[in-house]
Amino acid sequence: MLRFSLLLLNLEEYYFEQHTAHHIQHKGGQNERKIRGSLKICSKSVIFEPDAISQPIIKIPLRDCIKIGKHGENGASRHFAKAKSGEISLSFSQVYFIKEHNIVAPYKIERGKMEYVFELDVSGKVEDVVETLLQLHRASCLDKLGDQTAMITAILQSRLARTSFDKNRFQSVSEELHMECQAEMVTPLVTNPGHVCITDTNLYFQPLNGYPKPVVQITLQDVRRIYKRRHGLMPLGLEVFCTEDDLCSDIYLKFYDPQDRDELYYYIATYLEHHVAERTAESYTLQWQRGHLSNYQYLLHLNNLADRSCNDLSQYPVFPWVISDYCSSELDLSNPGTFRDLSKPIGALNKERLERLLTRYQEMPEPRFMYGSHYSSPGYVLFYLVRIAPEYMLCLQNGRFDNADRMFNSIAETWKNCLDGATDFKELIPEFYGDDVSFLVNSLKLDLGKRQGGQMVDDVELPPWAWSPEDFLQKSKDALESNYVSEHLHEWIDLIFGYKQKGSEAVGAHNVFHPLTYEGGVDLNSIEDPDEKVAMLTQILEFGQTPKQLFVTPHPQRITPKFKSLSQTSSYNASIADSPVSPGEESFEDLTEESKTLAWNNIAKLQLHEQYKIHKEAVTGIAVSCNGSSVFTTSQDSTLKMFSKESKMLQRSISFSNMALSSCLLLPGDATVISSSWDNNVYFYSIAFGRRQDTLMGHDDAVSKICWHDNRLYSASWDSTVKVWSGVPAEMTGTKRHQFDMLAELEHDVGVDTISLNAASTLLVSGTKEGTVNIWDLTAATMLHQIPCHSGTVCDTAFSPDSRHVLSTGEDGCLNVIDVQTGMLISSMTSDKPQRCFIWDGSTVLSGSQSGELLVWDLLGGKLSERIQGHTGAVTCIWMNEQCSSIITGGEDRQIMFWKLQY
């Protein structure tokens, strides 16, 4: 049974080697006895672990040693005693006894001068062991902490240099070694040095001391995610996960050289690229907004991306308090009063306390801070977890538990303290929203002390509304996923991971912590004095760290379904059972919604129905009459053509000038077609009269795209403007020339290639030649957001049906999703070729590629789900009917193709 653990070492201490040995008690006396066990040499202590569980583990700090040597020798006779004795003698002034009868309890300390004798099984090793102990003893007796650290590091490095990875540990003889380097395996409060080795199929770590096992092996094929980590403020960490959603990783490594870390990261990342996509914070935001990820999963991903890890207690994942009611017998999740205000940090929830803190802040010299302690630190994490991680608490607090009254005794008490305590601003940890209740229950029957009232510290006291620990966790989870929290979680994300984390926004939000807690708050490399450096690092690690900043603009709000059926907000969960309307009373609108959802769910089953080559150059625009019988197309060959779907015949071909036409649209009533041209004009063609009826000479360069809504025409041009025109009636009758009035001019820095309107025509999105996407408020003719998100031209843009998002595609092959409210880029995917045009329903995209294929993208899953063969040469335009059942594409191959959905 393993009793020894690295947690018995001091913080920042290393375990080097072990030797089978006997502890000889009462040496030479009447009742001399030998206790068999293992003698462990560590960088700051000697530990003896007896085989018998009833005996305590002995820990002797090297700095308390007075004399170390072979037993039975004094200075003079030293050289003669070499041959026989396998005994080592230690004289010291202090010793710890740990885990007697294997019970986890505070360490017992014995003080006073003592001598212990240990006899090694292999007597030939005594010289080396004594030599090592004397060397480590010298290190631990140095005055300065910095010098101690430097000497121990040198001893460790020489040990690592003398050894290498044992290739006999490879899983198979055919494995090819890619790289080998030195690193440390990190677990909470502990690092364990050894050798890392990566082959074409496996990642290995071999600890120098063979503990807890001779080799840790991870099959690359199992790896799902990898993250670079800051460890001790340095870019040296790498964490590997073999699961999608788990809190804990499979291995966390800390390297000695950032280049080693980066090379290993790059090797695994390249390996993964064939298997798993690398994810950014933004790519999860879209999934979360659309309800594809829960609040819990999203927070877990954000923590991960912000360097928070379960293996690093100074950067443990941080979760919010969301419930503020711990007194009621029933928990009412429909009452906003039940919840904590997520727009404020813990320290700002109590107005009186905040006023006192702000007064102090105002009087403080620079650098000023509002809160003297953090919302997440190793001490706080272990405060919550002491019942399942008692040895961690003992390790952190030098063998002692906290005072019984300061323990995690009750949920309500802890919350009250966070509201009223002068220095208590802690948030929660993910365990409060997980499935494992053990951190709330003293199942190990630990003696955690007696409180002032006389009662023993036992299980955590739950609020009245929870009838069991399981019920407490379930209700906490329900609260985290509730509508109220979904609507306000972005406010808390702004504080912890977002734009209110630093700077003037942080001051305004009362969210300013000690400067040492921020990334980049101190440059350790600039500190010359090794003492000061070690002290500073220790302070930072114990104090707690603010997560890496993930967002610098306001975070988008989650889209919460108010009274809509789920099938309308997401193309997932699309079953009629989700609809709140019973089938009998479904309106026609609901039925078209259902059929649209069904169509988009089956979009990959698109089949080519027929194709016609009707132009001499690339097709640039498609418009279809209401009944679907007449198809109008424009082309770079300068013609507008009218094609009859019934007779499959070309019926008309019209030319307005010898310049290319760029797009076309049909006015309601199907009597007039409008075309935009590279000759700077917009042409109105009357179908009934078969002639050009009017010309709008509105621009100084080619008109690239036109849109129409509610008697208004919107025209985009390479002259860097988008213009809004009134006086364009749906019915253009007679021969009278029209008066076009310009209502607004939306100015851009460069030529505009594409525009699109939202369903209500209150917003317009434009894409420029230089890769910028602009979102405009048409009611005020002002720009809301300017997002430079493509390199090269923007090919196409469109709003989602609910106007919450904009999708843009560009020459750079990117598909970008932008949150309309905040202007934040929340998802980006890349394709091998530019996607020239597309249609989408908010979560699924059908795009026309430069390659001629139609591609189906699952934005929420972050993947390309289907490639459909189509044109030879780029797909240049795409049209879909209202019911989403029929699609027409145009291409560089001068063809129009008719597609049908078969399901």
Side-chain angles (χ1 to χ4, degrees), residues 677-836:
S677 169
W678 283 8
D679 69 4
N680 313 357
N681 296 332
V682 176
Y683 295 102
F684 294 79
Y685 175 81
S686 162
I687 300 167
F689 294 101
R691 61 165 179 253
R692 174 170 55 173
Q693 204 151 0
D694 222 325
T695 305
L696 168 60
M697 300 181 196
H699 288 278
D700 304 324
D701 203 339
V703 182
S704 51
K705 180 92 190 274
I706 48 173
C707 300
W708 187 91
H709 187 265
D710 214 4
N711 292 348
R712 289 193 180 166
L713 179 71
Y714 304 82
S715 58
S717 166
W718 295 352
D719 68 7
S720 308
T721 67
V722 172
K723 293 181 179 177
V724 185
W725 309 89
S726 72
V728 185
E731 298 291 330
M732 299 192 80
T733 51
T735 51
K736 190 164 92 2
R737 298 296 295 255
H738 278 82
Q739 179 67 43
F740 298 109
D741 296 319
M742 189 169 77
L743 296 178
E745 182 170 348
L746 313 180
E747 296 201 14
H748 295 65
D749 303 333
V750 291
V752 183
D753 257 340
T754 178
I755 54 168
S756 183
L757 298 169
N758 71 337
S761 292
T762 49
L763 300 171
L764 177 143
V765 58
S766 58
T768 71
K769 287 194 171 306
E770 286 182 3
T772 305
V773 172
N774 305 287
I775 298 175
W776 299 81
D777 173 2
L778 291 175
T779 53
T782 52
M783 190 192 291
L784 296 176
H785 305 291
Q786 183 167 26
I787 308 104
C789 55
H790 291 280
S791 49
T793 303
V794 179
C795 299
D796 200 1
T797 57
F799 285 91
S800 58
D802 61 6
S803 299
R804 292 292 294 259
H805 296 133
V806 158
L807 176 65
S808 64
T809 59
E811 245 180 6
D812 54 5
C814 287
L815 290 87
N816 293 331
V817 181
I818 294 155
D819 179 72
V820 171
Q821 180 200 356
T822 58
M824 187 191 282
L825 178 67
I826 56 167
S827 169
S828 187
M829 292 172 67
T830 44
S831 51
D832 45 1
K833 294 268 170 49
Q835 302 306 300
R836 295 277 297 270

Side-chain angles (χ1 to χ4, degrees), residues 306-510:
D307 272 338
R308 312 303 285 187
S309 160
C310 289
N311 283 312
D312 183 351
L313 295 186
S314 69
Q315 300 191 82
Y316 202 79
V318 55
F319 269 61
W321 286 95
V322 298
I323 298 170
S324 66
D325 172 5
Y326 295 98
C327 309
S328 306
S329 55
E330 292 288 325
L331 187 67
D332 180 4
L333 295 182
S334 63
N335 173 13
T338 299
F339 297 95
R340 162 250 178 118
D341 181 346
L342 287 161
S343 67
K344 293 177 181 161
I346 292 290
L349 291 174
N350 175 338
K351 206 157 158 248
E352 284 117 46
R353 174 176 68 175
L354 180 64
E355 277 163 14
R356 289 197 299 275
L357 292 166
L358 289 178
T359 309
R360 193 192 67 174
Y361 172 74
Q362 250 78 58
E363 294 160 358
M364 201 183 276
E366 286 292 344
R368 301 189 296 175
F369 52 89
M370 293 170 190
Y371 311 115
S373 68
H374 205 254
Y375 49 77
S376 169
S377 72
Y380 290 160
V381 173
L382 295 178
F383 166 84
Y384 290 129
L385 297 181
V386 62
R387 288 167 180 78
I388 48 169
E391 291 188 71
Y392 292 88
M393 173 80 95
L394 293 172
C395 174
L396 191 69
Q397 309 208 63
N398 299 318
R400 293 188 301 275
F401 285 132
D402 218 340
N403 171 304
D405 285 293
R406 284 203 301 271
M407 283 278 196
F408 179 33
N409 291 308
S410 132
I411 310 266
E413 212 173 277
T414 304
W415 168 246
K416 187 179 181 313
N417 212 37
C418 290
L419 283 186
D420 305 339
T423 57
D424 194 348
F425 313 109
K426 59 179 169 285
E427 291 279 9
L428 295 180
I429 53 175
E431 281 76 358
F432 278 80
Y433 303 104
D435 299 316
D436 185 356
V437 297
S438 49
F439 77 102
L440 299 168
V441 185
N442 184 14
S443 52
L444 297 174
K445 298 287 172 254
L446 301 167
D447 179 355
L448 297 169
K450 191 177 276 192
R451 301 187 64 181
Q452 274 177 341
Q455 71 273 43
M456 298 298 289
V457 174
D458 199 27
D459 296 351
V460 178
E461 192 184 316
L462 302 172
W465 47 256
W467 42 268
S468 71
E470 289 77 7
D471 185 49
F472 171 75
L473 287 191
Q474 187 54 54
K475 284 178 175 151
S476 299
K477 282 194 274 196
D478 293 346
L480 181 65
E481 303 304 336
S482 68
N483 249 357
Y484 178 88
V485 173
S486 291
E487 282 165 21
H488 294 278
L489 190 58
H490 64 286
E491 299 170 333
W492 186 81
I493 293 170
D494 285 337
L495 296 168
I496 308 295
F497 303 104
Y499 81 114
K500 289 184 178 174
Q501 193 195 81
K502 295 179 188 162
S504 59
E505 292 286 356
V507 177
H510 305 131

Side-chain angles (χ1 to χ4, degrees), residues 400-645:
R400 293 188 301 275
F401 285 132
D402 218 340
N403 171 304
D405 285 293
R406 284 203 301 271
M407 283 278 196
F408 179 33
N409 291 308
S410 132
I411 310 266
E413 212 173 277
T414 304
W415 168 246
K416 187 179 181 313
N417 212 37
C418 290
L419 283 186
D420 305 339
T423 57
D424 194 348
F425 313 109
K426 59 179 169 285
E427 291 279 9
L428 295 180
I429 53 175
E431 281 76 358
F432 278 80
Y433 303 104
D435 299 316
D436 185 356
V437 297
S438 49
F439 77 102
L440 299 168
V441 185
N442 184 14
S443 52
L444 297 174
K445 298 287 172 254
L446 301 167
D447 179 355
L448 297 169
K450 191 177 276 192
R451 301 187 64 181
Q452 274 177 341
Q455 71 273 43
M456 298 298 289
V457 174
D458 199 27
D459 296 351
V460 178
E461 192 184 316
L462 302 172
W465 47 256
W467 42 268
S468 71
E470 289 77 7
D471 185 49
F472 171 75
L473 287 191
Q474 187 54 54
K475 284 178 175 151
S476 299
K477 282 194 274 196
D478 293 346
L480 181 65
E481 303 304 336
S482 68
N483 249 357
Y484 178 88
V485 173
S486 291
E487 282 165 21
H488 294 278
L489 190 58
H490 64 286
E491 299 170 333
W492 186 81
I493 293 170
D494 285 337
L495 296 168
I496 308 295
F497 303 104
Y499 81 114
K500 289 184 178 174
Q501 193 195 81
K502 295 179 188 162
S504 59
E505 292 286 356
V507 177
H510 305 131
N511 195 33
V512 182
F513 294 86
H514 194 287
L516 285 183
T517 64
Y518 295 95
E519 184 173 22
V522 61
D523 178 11
L524 284 178
N525 294 327
S526 67
I527 302 174
E528 294 295 322
D529 180 356
D531 256 21
E532 201 187 320
K533 195 181 220 167
V534 171
M536 180 73 81
L537 183 60
T538 307
Q539 188 185 350
I540 287 164
L541 297 183
E542 284 178 9
F543 203 78
Q545 292 173 68
T546 300
K548 190 160 90 186
Q549 192 172 17
L550 299 177
F551 308 101
V552 291
T553 54
H555 190 282
Q557 189 177 11
R558 193 168 194 192
I559 299 169
T560 46
K562 283 281 181 276
F563 300 104
K564 286 174 92 177
S565 72
L566 274 173
S567 58
Q568 278 162 272
T569 51
S570 152
S571 68
Y572 285 76
N573 324 354
S575 81
I576 296 186
D578 290 327
S579 169
V581 189
S582 71
E585 48 182 310
E586 272 200 305
S587 65
F588 175 68
E589 200 171 276
D590 281 339
L591 289 169
T592 50
E593 278 304 332
E594 288 297 348
S595 66
K596 280 183 190 177
T597 304
L598 195 58
W600 276 104
N601 283 343
N602 290 282
I603 201 83
K605 301 187 179 137
L606 212 53
Q607 307 248 315
L608 180 58
H609 199 53
E610 39 202 25
Q611 62 200 80
Y612 305 96
K613 190 175 283 190
I614 56 173
H615 282 283
K616 296 193 172 73
E617 296 282 341
V619 181
T620 57
I622 302 169
V624 182
S625 62
C626 275
N627 59 10
S629 61
S630 300
V631 178
F632 295 86
T633 54
T634 49
S635 163
Q636 284 182 5
D637 66 9
S638 82
T639 63
L640 164 69
K641 309 238 188 217
M642 177 175 166
F643 180 85
S644 162
K645 222 178 139 199

